[in-house]
Amino acid sequence: MRRLFPVTDQTLPGAMADDREWSLDELAEAYAYPEPAGDRGAGAAGDASGTAGDTGATHWLRANMVSTLDGAAQHDGRSQPISSETDMRVFGTLRALADVVVVGAETVRQEGYRPARAREAFAARRAAAGQGPAPAIAVVTAGLDLDFSLPLFTAPLVPTLVVTGAGAPSDRVAAATAAGAEVVFAGEGATVDPQRAVRALAGRGLRRQLTEGGPRLLGQFVAAGVLDELCLTVSPMLTAGDAQRIAGGPAMAVPARLVLASVLEEAGFLYTSYRRI
C-alpha cells in the first residue's frame, strides 16, 4: 500500500513508491477519528452535524463502503465479490476504531451479520481511548423484522442495539428486549429520524460512529446532513447490471459537496476518505 494524498515531506519521493503491506497500527493512524471538541451545534441549513469546516466533534459519523468503477455497491447482492483482502483489513481497522457500528436491517439479513469481536491487535489502543473490547452493533429498523435468535442478539460481546421509532410494534420491541438487545427510540411513529439516531447513540457515549450501510440507510444519513466522512474503496472492477449504488433513496435538491482527505492505493484499489466541508 502507498499513500497518494495528502503528500507530505515523509511521502515524497520514496514513500509514495514504497508499495508494501501496512501494519494495523499504520492503518489505525491513517483512519484515526478526530479528537473530541465542544458541541458543534447546527451547521448548514438542515445539517445537525456541525459547523462547516470544523473537524472536532462530540460525535463523528463515518461511512465505509465499496464501489466498482461503474458504480455498483455489490454483486449478486453482496459486497464481498468486489472487495479485496486489503479492503477487509481496512474494514476491520475501521470497526476496531469505532464505538458503534450502525447498520440497516436489510444489510444484517443479507450479509449475515455477527457480533463484533475483540481483537488483540487493537486492545491497547481501545483501552487508551476509554473504549470497551469491541464496538457495539446498532441495527436501524422500523418494523424490527429481525431474527432475534441469531448470535448478533443472543451472544454479543457488547449488547446489540436496536434503533427504531416510538411507534414500532410492541411485540417486536418485547422480542428484542427478551433476546438481550437494547432498544433505542429515535423517531416518532414507525420511522427512525437519522439526526435523532446519531444523537441518541452519542448520548450513550458512542460518539465514534461507523455505518456500513446498506445503501438505503446511507442515503438517509446523507439526506439528513449527518454524515461527517465517507471512506470509499474504489474497486478496479466492472460489473454492469443493475446493482445498487452506495447510497439510495430520494435525490437531494442540491448535491452535498465533500473534500478529499486521504487516498491510499494497493493493487489498483483506491482507499479514499472524504469529509464534509
Side-chain angles (χ1 to χ4, degrees):
M1 178 173 285
R2 54 188 179 141
R3 182 183 294 280
L4 302 183
F5 182 84
V7 176
T8 68
D9 291 341
Q10 287 71 42
T11 58
L12 278 177
M16 287 187 66
D18 185 14
D19 194 359
R20 59 180 176 80
E21 181 175 296
W22 284 24
S23 70
L24 292 178
D25 277 341
E26 288 175 304
L27 286 176
E29 289 297 326
Y31 286 101
Y33 277 85
E35 289 299 316
D39 190 348
R40 290 174 290 172
D47 182 357
S49 67
T51 303
D54 178 11
T55 57
T58 54
H59 57 267
W60 188 267
L61 175 63
R62 66 168 33 146
N64 181 34
M65 303 293 283
V66 59
S67 171
T68 63
L69 295 174
D70 52 348
Q74 51 190 225
H75 185 65
D76 286 339
R78 301 178 65 242
S79 59
Q80 189 277 332
I82 62 173
S83 182
S84 69
E85 182 177 343
T86 298
D87 184 44
M88 295 310 297
R89 293 184 78 231
V90 171
F91 172 92
T93 298
L94 292 176
R95 275 197 162 200
L97 296 175
D99 296 327
V100 60
V101 177
V102 189
V103 64
E106 183 63 21
T107 298
V108 167
R109 290 188 288 266
Q110 288 188 351
E111 300 281 354
Y113 261 58
R114 299 184 63 83
R117 60 188 178 89
R119 299 182 61 186
E120 182 61 32
F122 296 97
R125 184 179 293 269
R126 290 188 65 87
Q131 297 173 297
I137 303 293
V139 184
V140 178
T141 172
L144 285 81
D145 183 17
L146 298 162
D147 183 353
F148 293 117
S149 68
L150 295 176
L152 178 61
F153 301 101
T154 62
L157 190 61
V158 180
T160 295
L161 306 172
V162 174
V163 184
T164 190
S170 57
D171 60 327
R172 299 306 296 162
V173 171
T177 303
E182 297 182 9
V183 179
V184 179
F185 294 105
E188 304 299 331
T191 60
V192 176
D193 181 326
Q195 294 184 3
R196 291 179 63 175
V198 168
R199 290 173 176 169
L201 293 173
R204 289 172 168 256
L206 306 174
R207 73 163 196 87
R208 303 173 188 87
Q209 301 170 1
L210 170 67
T211 181
E212 297 169 351
R216 184 170 64 176
L217 179 62
L218 180 55
Q220 292 171 351
F221 284 138
V222 170
V226 296
L227 184 70
D228 296 298
E229 180 182 5
L230 172 63
C231 296
L232 176 65
T233 296
V234 181
S235 171
M237 299 181 188
L238 296 169
T239 64
D242 57 358
Q244 287 182 299
R245 296 159 50 195
I246 65 168
M252 299 180 67
V254 179
R257 179 69 181 269
L258 304 180
V259 295
L260 181 63
S262 174
V263 182
L264 308 175
E265 184 274 337
E266 182 176 278
F269 283 79
L270 297 178
Y271 303 93
T272 71
S273 171
Y274 291 85
R275 292 187 173 186
R276 60 182 175 78
I277 296 175

